[in-house]
Amino acid sequence: MSKALDGVKILDFTHVQSGPTCTQLLAWFGADVIKVERAGEGDATRAQLRDVPDADSLYFTMLNHNKRSITLDTKNPKGKEVLETLIKQCDVLVENFAPGALDRMGFSWERINELNPRMVVASVKGFGPGPYEDCKVYENVAQCAGGSASTTGFDDGPPMVTGAQIGDSGTGLHLALGIVAALYQRNTTGRGQKVLAAMQDSVLNLCRVKLRDQQRLDRTGIMKEYPQYPDTPFGETVPRAGNASGGGQPGSILKCKGWETDPNAYIYFITQAPVWPAICKVIGREEWITHKEYATAAARLPHLKAIFATVEEWTKTKTKFEAMDILNVYDIPCGPILSMKEIAEDQSLRATGTVVEVDHPTRGKYLSVGNPIKMSDSISEVTRSPLLGEHTEEILLDVLGFDAAKVTEFMAAPGLGGARVAAG
């Protein structure tokens, strides 16, 4: 079976998380992703948070599946020659360098366009054009600048970042869509183009419901579905809403049986209006179905804290999975708080390829995340991440068309790292 992006060649100049997330997703869809790394060092994450001595870290392996690695020194004429040839042969160049780094390497947009007018040049940057465009940005900085941190956490505490990597991985996902769109447009125009995904912009896109709420707050001065209502006055900005739902359906995280010793013995419970009678029956409060203070969604809003406290008395008598089994019979929206250990051991996620086991020549078997997007005619297979420079000779032969003598000459040159790398 063919893959969706068969035949597309990606020149991957990315490192750490945001860019590699993007290029790994494209690789899962079948693109030939050629990861360009500095000889002897490679992507910085190869050594970061290392748990197995002298082996690539999980940080690196889990972001660089299905890729090939070539080592180049672009400051050396031989290395620069190879890179120019790669640019001519590839469809997309992806980078997340600091602003201006490609220009300083001698590969400005104009130069790349001269070498290959069909090439798409895709970039991750911290900020778009404006006062901060030259600033260095990491995950948590992006969450803060994109509006996430100010609206996350509880009202009586400081701003909070989320465990989901919405700044790095979130931006990589946005960039991947931009690349696919640019390749599609190229079918009509015949031209490549620049694609930019700024981390601040991507986080804001994921926080759009909070920008919605800012405008509602400006207009009305109050948001009745927030837990601050009716006891706490609203200020001028969207407050932190704890675990309240962002979609207007009142929800909260409630304790379940075992919460005293298990930090994840909780369930998310939503008091959706169509199933309110069922909720009342399940928790033993059938009188609430017709009570004037509880019968309608609008009437319930001032009493949400008391309602959830009562529901919690019921959930505390059940494990989170027992509660799920009961609530799902009545279509009451809910979800268990799953720990990473529970997710790692979930056999249904293994069966769908959402969690995969990968075998690596130096670190052995490890778990990783598979392609979250499933396609019926483009099945994703997760292959291990490459060792540093592992595919240098292969790429010179297969992609650039060098003969054996020229490969030997280039492999001995400092511009290619001067060493063959065994696959183990």
Side-chain angles (χ1 to χ4, degrees):
M1 183 180 293
S2 65
K3 300 291 182 66
L5 294 181
D6 272 349
V8 174
K9 287 186 171 60
I10 310 287
L11 196 54
D12 183 2
F13 262 105
T14 70
H15 56 286
V16 191
Q17 186 177 166
S18 58
T21 296
C22 167
T23 53
Q24 178 172 256
L25 187 61
L26 299 173
W28 280 337
F29 285 131
D32 180 10
V33 175
I34 300 169
K35 187 175 180 72
V36 180
E37 301 185 75
R38 185 180 300 174
E41 298 179 27
D43 191 318
T45 58
R46 285 185 182 270
Q48 285 182 7
L49 304 177
R50 185 177 270 157
D51 61 313
V52 176
D54 301 321
D56 289 333
S57 71
L58 287 168
Y59 197 4
F60 176 84
T61 60
M62 293 176 70
L63 286 162
N64 290 282
H65 293 122
N66 296 59
K67 302 179 185 181
R68 298 196 281 178
S69 171
I70 183 173
T71 51
L72 284 180
D73 177 3
T74 57
K75 295 179 181 179
N76 182 286
K78 292 285 188 183
K80 192 168 186 177
E81 180 184 344
V82 169
L83 180 54
E84 288 183 345
T85 309
L86 281 169
I87 289 173
K88 293 175 183 177
Q89 296 292 326
C90 291
D91 300 284
V92 183
L93 186 152
V94 190
E95 60 91 14
N96 61 336
F97 292 128
L102 266 184
D103 291 356
R104 292 190 293 273
M105 288 169 57
F107 291 95
S108 64
W109 161 250
E110 290 75 19
R111 176 57 178 154
I112 293 172
N113 196 243
E114 178 185 340
L115 291 168
N116 183 356
R118 289 175 56 82
M119 173 161 272
V120 173
V121 178
S123 303
V124 170
K125 293 292 176 276
F127 294 94
Y132 304 116
E133 62 183 307
D134 294 329
C135 295
K136 182 178 266 189
V137 173
Y138 289 94
E139 170 67 45
N140 290 354
V141 175
Q143 289 193 31
C144 293
S148 175
S150 70
T151 56
T152 302
F154 289 91
D155 199 38
D156 58 354
M160 295 285 289
V161 295
T162 173
Q165 304 290 284
I166 60 175
D168 277 325
S169 289
T171 304
L173 295 173
H174 282 87
L175 187 65
L177 176 58
I179 289 169
V180 172
L183 289 173
Y184 185 83
Q185 188 175 17
R186 191 179 72 173
N187 292 333
T188 302
T189 66
R191 301 190 307 273
Q193 61 183 295
K194 291 187 287 185
V195 179
L196 170 66
M199 294 172 73
Q200 181 188 38
D201 298 2
S202 297
V203 171
L204 177 58
N205 185 44
L206 298 174
C207 292
R208 66 175 63 193
V209 296
K210 300 301 182 180
L211 185 59
R212 171 205 68 190
D213 289 348
Q214 183 62 53
Q215 295 172 86
R216 293 171 55 225
L217 183 62
D218 290 342
R219 185 179 299 276
T220 67
I222 194 168
M223 293 183 291
K224 294 182 178 180
E225 81 283 4
Y226 271 60
Q228 286 78 1
Y229 176 80
D231 305 318
T232 306
F234 285 84
E236 294 182 344
T237 63
V238 174
R240 291 182 273 286
N243 292 314
S245 167
Q249 298 289 347
S252 186
I253 291 179
L254 306 178
K255 296 172 182 174
C256 290
K257 188 176 181 179
W259 67 271
E260 298 92 341
T261 56
D262 181 355
N264 294 298
Y266 290 82
I267 192 169
Y268 198 88
F269 190 103
I270 297 175
T271 57
Q272 189 180 32
V275 292
W276 176 247
I279 292 171
C280 296
K281 291 176 183 177
V282 167
I283 66 174
R285 290 300 183 101
E286 292 189 48
E287 71 275 12
W288 282 1
I289 297 174
T290 56
H291 194 291
K292 66 176 183 179
E293 293 186 347
Y294 300 99
T296 67
R300 288 192 291 273
L301 286 175
H303 307 291
L304 285 178
K305 292 186 183 72
I307 289 171
F308 282 122
T310 302
V311 175
E312 189 173 60
E313 290 305 310
W314 177 83
T315 60
K316 283 162 64 175
T317 67
K318 307 287 187 292
T319 70
K320 59 189 176 186
F321 298 113
E322 290 170 344
M324 281 282 293
D325 290 341
I326 295 168
L327 297 172
N328 281 325
V329 170
Y330 298 95
D331 291 328
I332 297 170
C334 59
I337 308 305
L338 295 179
S339 69
M340 280 297 158
K341 182 175 176 60
E342 288 170 317
I343 289 172
E345 296 173 352
D346 189 322
Q347 293 306 306
S348 66
L349 295 177
R350 303 280 188 103
T352 60
T354 299
V355 174
V356 295
E357 186 175 75
V358 183
D359 199 3
H360 191 273
T362 57
R363 67 171 302 111
K365 294 183 185 298
Y366 65 94
L367 291 183
S368 190
V369 176
N371 193 344
I373 303 167
K374 310 299 193 286
M375 298 174 65
S376 62
D377 284 356
S378 182
I379 307 302
S380 294
E381 298 170 328
V382 177
T383 61
R384 69 167 175 83
S385 60
L387 302 176
L388 180 59
E390 179 179 344
H391 303 96
T392 299
E393 293 181 63
E394 179 180 297
I395 292 166
L396 294 176
L397 286 166
D398 298 345
V399 179
L400 302 187
F402 288 3
D403 59 32
K406 193 169 185 181
V407 168
T408 300
E409 173 193 348
F410 270 72
M411 289 301 296
L416 286 171
R420 289 172 170 79
V421 181

